[in-house]
């Protein structure tokens, strides 16, 4: 086993899951939240003649998705190194 | 130079490029045939994944869908990109670490069950084959419209080129041609979009032009909404469908995207686990370039199309405003001959009236104008992207480029799907299940033969498309979302789900989704055999058949957990496999058993 101890193994996996969960919350909030359920609320804020909710549905959510994926990759690379399980 | 000659030159050049790559990237081993030898750079793989993913439907169909459905089409924009978040965070790194060639490989090994593997193979083949029919049709249509050859000849040409690089090179050949195809398709998609955005808003970036003011100072989308409402159509930005259905539909597309095998196997080709994570990000970058452009293309094309027929310089209702049929532009005539655009002079005034004659609130106005019904009796939404450069009066070379782009999109996706099918047959059915003793050389030969067979079947289905071809895309996503995606998630994130639980879950998800789709669309899509009319008030909780995949996935999860509770626990060596895929260290390249 690549980990120093059983505790390390558990801690690594829990940190990974916690990061993943937070990012999935963000993923759901920008698409299902801002783009669909809360659209009418967000549309109060105008952007280019239309509302912010509409913008999230057709543009914004995709940009946030991009951020999520690269943020996860960078954070996990750090976590892998911290626990000595990186693949470099 | 006339358009046809120019198109022949542009398409011919791209085809010569694909052939050249095929000769250069021949596969010598099964490792190269199934996973390109495992040495593809993450950015290169991201680009190949972009081409793999973006099909004829994304390139040709999506902007048209957005143009006519407006806000509601956000389902596709969010669903088909949001799935990559699930892939990147929950699936790709772990499946890469597992290090085998196919998706059924993982399901079969993790759930230590031949049945699970075979269920996965069946789902994979049904999902991929239904998906490939659409690509074959796209190839045939692009050829017949732009190169003046008939549909069948166009299809044979497409099959020939895929045969050449997919049979020779397998995943290796497919990967490098997909990279070239991505460049062709994204160039072809964005160039007209930039021109049109400049024309309408003065902003060269379509993503910004989408939100900018038009020449008279009104924002583009407000102007579009106004133009549509004046003709009785629904506003572009208005929501038309039920909120819960939009939510479930988006979720189903995200699950389906993450569970489609031809996309997942692309991540077996990168060298390391950390590469799989970043590669999914790059794939999303390359996909987002097209997906964020699509709503701009859709809305601008709708505005241009409407303004061509209903001249905005005059008031609506003024006869002068309507285009005289005899003066119709050339693109109009070209598309009329394909039957995808149809005009009928209902009030006999020789002018074209294009409005929503099904809107009861607009009927009185239309009558006062002397209009006797919508005279654009057919406007196929698929023509919008293809006709877009012509509608906007762009030069001929742009039109030729769009033809090459549409072909690149269809060919790259078809090749990826055919590869997923052929590797499932030669690797999962032959090598892993029925003929475990064949050598690497024999398996490679089997892989090439199944690839050739898959191309022949896909070609046959493209020539004789079943009447339900449009319906089956819902089936492909439904199957991937309800059977494959949950099985992969449980295989990675739970050490407890056992063989019986997984098989029961997959079958429950699969069958519930199939039954739901067939209930509204007819058993095996045979017209008239549906048990309930396919209308929103008949749908369970207002969920349309296309949106059921997410609920099927939920059923899969619940059944798998329940059955696992009452059956034998997972053996220790399987728990060890699950724990080893959770750490990136020690991933070799994808390999055989």
């Amino acid at each position: 086993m690549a980990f120093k101890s059983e505790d390390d193994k558990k801690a690594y996996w829990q940190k990974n899951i916690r990061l993943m969960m937070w990012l999935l919350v963000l993923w759901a909030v920008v698409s299902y939240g801002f783009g669909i359920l809360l659209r009418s609320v967000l549309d109060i804020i105008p952007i280019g003649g239309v509302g912010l909710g509409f913008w999230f549905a057709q543009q914004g959510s995709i940009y946030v998705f991009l951020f999520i994926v690269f943020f996860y990759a960078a954070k996990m690379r750090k976590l892998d190194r911290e626990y000595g399980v990186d693949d470099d | 130079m006339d358009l046809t000659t120019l198109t022949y030159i542009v398409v011919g050049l791209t085809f010569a490029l694909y052939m050249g790559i095929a000769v250069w990237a021949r596969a010598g081993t099964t490792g190269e045939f199934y996973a390109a030898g495992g040495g593809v750079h993450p950015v290169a793989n991201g680009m190949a994944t972009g081409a793999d993913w973006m099909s004829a439907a994304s390139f040709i169909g999506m902007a048209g869908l957005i143009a006519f459905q407006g806000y509601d089409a956000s389902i596709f924009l969010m669903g088909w990109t949001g799935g990559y978040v699930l892939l990147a965070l929950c699936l790709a790194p772990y499946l890469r670490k597992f290090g085998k060639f196919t998706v059924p490989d993982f399901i079969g090994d993790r759930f230590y069950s031949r049945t699970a593997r075979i269920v996965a193979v069946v789902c994979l083949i049904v999902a991929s084959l239904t998906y490939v029919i659409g690509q074959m049709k796209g190839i045939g249509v692009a050829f017949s419209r732009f190169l003046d050859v008939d549909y069948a000849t166009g299809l044979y040409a497409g099959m020939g080129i895929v045969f050449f690089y997919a049979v020779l090179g397998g995943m290796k050949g497919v990967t490098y041609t997909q990279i070239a195809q991505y460049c062709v398709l994204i160039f072809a998609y964005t160039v007209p979009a930039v021109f049109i955005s400049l024309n309408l808003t003065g902003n060269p970036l379509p993503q910004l032009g989408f939100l900018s003011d038009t020449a008279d100072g009104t924002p583009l989308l407000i102007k579009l909404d106004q133009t549509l409402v004046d003709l009785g159509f629904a506003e572009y930005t208005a929501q038309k469908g039920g909120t819960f259905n939009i939510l479930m539909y988006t979720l189903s597309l995200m699950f389906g995207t993450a569970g489609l095998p031809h996309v997942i196997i692309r991540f077996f080709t990168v060298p390391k686990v950390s590469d799989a994570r970043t590669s999914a990000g790059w794939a999303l970058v390359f996909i987002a370039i097209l997906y964020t452009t699509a709503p701009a293309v859709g809305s601008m094309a709708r505005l241009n199309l409407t303004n061509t027929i209903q001249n905005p310089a005059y008031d609506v209702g003024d006869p002068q405003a309507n285009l005289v049929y005899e003066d119709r532009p050339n693109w109009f005539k070209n598309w009329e001959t394909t039957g995808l655009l149809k005009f009928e002079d209902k009030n006999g005034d020789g002018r074209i009236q294009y409005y929503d004659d099904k809107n009861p609130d607009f009927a009185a106005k239309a009558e006062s104008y002397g209009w006797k019904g919508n005279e654009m009796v057919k406007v196929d939404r698929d023509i919008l992207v293809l006709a877009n450069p012509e509608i906007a009066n762009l030069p001929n070379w742009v039109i030729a480029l769009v033809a090459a782009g549409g072909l690149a999109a269809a060919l790259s996706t078809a090749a990826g799907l055919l590869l997923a099918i052929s590797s499932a047959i030669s690797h999962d059915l032959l090598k892993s299940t029925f003929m475990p003793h064949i050598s690497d050389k024999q398996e490679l030969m089997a892989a090439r033969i199944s690839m050739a067979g898959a191309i022949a079947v896909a070609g046959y289905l493209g020539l004789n498309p079943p009447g339900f071809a449009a319906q089956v895309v819902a089936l492909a996503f439904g199957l991937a979302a309800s059977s494959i995606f949950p099985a992969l998630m449980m295989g990675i994130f739970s050490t407890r789900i056992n063989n019986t639980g997984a098989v029961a879950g997959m079958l429950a998800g699969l069958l519930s989704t199939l039954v739901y789709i067939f209930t509204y669309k007819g058993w095996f899509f045979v017209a008239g055999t549906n048990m309930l009319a396919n209308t929103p008030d008949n749908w369970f909780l207002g969920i349309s058949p296309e949106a059921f995949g997410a609920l099927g996935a939920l059923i899969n999860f619940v059944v798998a957990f329940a059955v696992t509770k009452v059956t034998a626990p997972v053996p220790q060596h399987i728990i060890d496999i699950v724990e080893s895929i959770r750490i990136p260290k020690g991933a070799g390249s994808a390999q055989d058993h």
Side-chain angles (χ1 to χ4, degrees):
Chain A
M1 193 49 77
F3 291 102
K4 288 190 202 79
S5 64
E6 273 298 300
D7 285 350
D8 260 20
K9 189 172 108 183
K10 236 185 211 155
Y12 169 81
W13 186 244
Q14 271 174 357
K15 280 185 182 169
N16 174 21
I17 294 290
R18 199 171 311 138
L19 174 64
M20 193 185 92
M21 284 301 181
W22 277 115
L23 290 174
L24 287 180
V25 167
L26 179 62
W27 163 82
V29 165
V30 294
S31 51
Y32 303 108
F34 294 172
I36 301 175
L37 294 173
L38 301 173
R39 182 195 163 188
S40 50
V41 182
L42 260 77
D43 272 359
I44 297 167
I45 305 163
I47 170 167
V50 288
L52 190 62
F54 177 84
W55 181 78
F56 264 105
Q58 298 214 328
Q59 299 272 300
S61 55
I62 300 175
Y63 300 131
V64 180
F65 293 160
L66 276 173
F67 164 79
I68 292 174
V69 174
F70 281 108
F71 184 79
Y72 178 75
K75 275 277 177 193
M76 282 308 289
R77 183 170 281 249
K78 253 178 83 184
L79 192 70
D80 291 346
R81 289 215 182 104
E82 202 182 308
Y83 283 86
V85 290
D86 57 281
D87 52 7
D88 298 318
Chain B
M1 202 183 311
D2 73 53
L3 179 59
T4 312
T5 321
L6 198 62
T7 313
Y8 265 104
I9 293 173
V10 174
V11 171
L13 282 176
T14 60
F15 276 30
L17 177 67
Y18 308 152
M19 299 285 241
I21 294 171
V23 173
W24 169 72
R26 284 182 309 266
T29 62
T30 52
E32 287 186 343
F33 195 92
Y34 294 136
V40 180
H41 189 274
V43 179
N45 183 55
M47 211 176 253
T49 310
D52 196 48
W53 172 244
M54 292 187 286
S55 56
S58 289
F59 188 93
I60 301 170
M62 194 171 61
L65 214 60
I66 297 171
F68 290 99
Q69 294 187 358
Y71 168 79
D72 287 27
S74 312
I75 292 169
F76 306 104
L77 292 167
M78 291 190 285
W80 285 338
T81 53
Y84 279 83
V85 174
L86 294 174
L87 253 178
L89 271 54
C90 309
L91 300 179
Y94 307 107
L95 295 176
R96 174 62 195 85
K97 176 64 196 296
F98 180 67
K100 294 286 175 63
F101 291 141
T102 69
V103 172
D105 243 352
F106 175 77
I107 293 178
D109 283 9
R110 162 62 185 85
F111 297 114
Y112 46 103
S113 155
R114 243 166 87 157
T115 320
R117 186 189 291 264
I118 292 172
V119 172
V121 170
V122 171
C123 289
L124 182 153
I125 292 179
V126 174
S128 304
L129 212 51
T130 51
Y131 213 101
V132 92
I133 301 173
Q135 311 313 315
M136 289 300 179
K137 279 183 71 181
I139 295 169
V141 169
F143 264 104
S144 54
R145 164 65 187 84
F146 291 104
L147 297 169
D148 283 337
V149 292
D150 68 285
Y151 179 87
T153 315
L155 199 64
Y156 291 132
M159 280 166 68
I161 188 127
V162 173
F163 183 89
F164 196 70
Y165 67 75
V167 173
L168 263 186
M171 181 60 112
K172 196 175 166 195
V174 168
T175 301
Y176 293 104
T177 35
Q178 278 176 338
I179 293 171
Q181 283 158 341
Y182 177 81
C183 298
V184 173
L185 82 87
I186 203 68
F187 191 63
Y189 201 82
T190 47
V191 165
V194 166
F195 273 120
I196 291 166
S197 179
L198 262 176
N199 270 347
L200 277 175
T201 67
N203 196 321
L205 258 187
Q207 287 84 346
L208 297 178
F210 184 54
L211 304 167
S212 301
D213 295 349
T214 51
D216 64 1
T218 330
L220 175 86
L221 291 176
I222 301 280
K223 192 176 189 120
L224 175 59
D225 276 354
Q226 196 52 51
T227 306
L228 293 176
V229 169
D230 284 347
L231 294 169
F233 294 109
E235 286 183 342
Y236 175 82
T237 55
Q239 181 181 327
K240 291 130 208 139
T243 304
F244 186 61
N245 186 49
I246 290 183
L247 203 87
M248 291 299 284
Y249 203 153
T250 310
L251 195 60
S252 300
L253 291 183
M254 288 192 187
F255 285 180
T257 302
L260 279 175
H262 74 285
V263 178
I264 297 175
I265 55 172
R266 289 239 42 96
F267 294 95
F268 298 159
T269 67
V270 295
K272 292 181 302 188
V273 173
S274 50
D275 292 335
R277 294 187 195 123
T278 45
S279 192
W282 284 110
L284 191 52
V285 168
F286 295 122
I287 292 165
I289 296 174
L290 189 142
Y291 275 51
T292 53
T293 307
V297 170
S299 53
M300 290 172 190
R302 183 91 192 267
L303 186 62
N304 273 338
L305 174 74
T306 315
N307 281 347
T308 305
I309 299 170
Q310 175 79 39
N311 188 342
Y314 301 93
D315 288 332
V316 176
D318 183 341
Q320 298 267 28
N322 296 94
L323 181 69
V324 177
Y325 181 68
E326 287 307 318
D327 299 343
R328 67 194 186 284
N330 258 328
W331 61 264
F332 199 120
K333 292 175 194 159
N334 290 338
W335 285 103
E336 273 182 314
T337 57
T338 63
L340 297 175
L341 202 64
K342 258 192 212 129
F343 165 76
E344 207 183 293
D345 196 0
K346 290 179 179 166
N347 64 351
D349 65 350
R351 289 174 178 271
I352 308 173
Q353 281 93 41
Y354 177 40
Y355 70 103
D356 189 359
D357 56 3
K358 292 188 182 64
N359 179 355
D361 301 332
F362 192 71
K365 249 188 198 167
E367 213 182 313
S368 72
Y369 298 152
W371 295 355
K372 296 273 187 301
N374 177 24
E375 298 181 345
M376 294 296 292
V377 287
K378 181 157 188 190
V379 184
D380 192 287
R381 58 187 182 210
D382 279 354
I383 69 173
L384 222 59
V385 165
L386 298 176
N388 210 7
E390 296 170 282
I391 297 175
N393 287 319
L394 298 183
N396 273 352
W397 65 268
V398 179
I399 304 168
L401 195 61
V402 168
L407 283 169
L411 286 171
S412 58
T413 306
L417 290 162
L418 291 165
L419 191 77
I421 296 171
S422 65
S423 56
I425 293 171
S426 62
H427 189 69
D428 292 304
L429 285 188
L430 291 183
K431 175 78 180 175
S432 304
T433 311
F434 298 117
M435 297 164 74
H437 302 298
I438 53 174
S439 69
D440 190 74
K441 274 267 168 296
Q442 286 170 312
E443 190 187 344
L444 183 60
M445 184 42 86
R448 291 194 207 274
I449 294 171
S450 24
M451 173 62 88
I455 293 173
V457 171
Y460 175 80
L461 290 171
L463 279 177
N464 308 286
F468 51 81
Q471 318 260 26
V472 291
V473 177
L475 190 69
F477 276 92
L479 287 185
S482 66
S483 63
I484 300 173
F485 174 73
L488 294 175
M489 289 294 280
M490 292 185 291
I492 294 164
F493 292 97
S494 162
T495 49
R496 290 206 200 99
I497 299 295
N498 64 16
N499 50 355
T500 338
V503 172
M506 280 169 79
L507 289 176
L510 178 72
L511 291 177
S512 58
T513 307
L514 277 181
V515 167
Y516 194 80
I517 293 177
F518 288 159
T519 301
Y520 297 99
K521 301 216 164 199
W523 291 92
F524 300 96
F525 302 108
V526 177
T529 60
N530 55 320
M531 298 185 302
L532 289 166
N534 192 14
T535 52
D537 42 316
N538 279 331
W539 295 340
F540 173 66
L541 297 175
I543 301 172
S544 67
E546 292 84 1
F548 193 81
L551 213 59
L554 185 70
I555 292 171
N556 185 337
F557 283 122
V558 171
V559 169
F561 274 96
V563 171
T564 294
K565 274 249 179 273
V566 296
T567 43
V570 176
Q572 187 57 42
H573 72 276
I574 299 294
I575 298 181
D576 291 343
I577 293 182
V578 178
E579 290 192 338
S580 86
I581 63 167
R582 289 179 178 181
I583 50 168
K585 200 180 185 108
S589 66
Q591 56 189 294
D592 210 341
H593 301 274

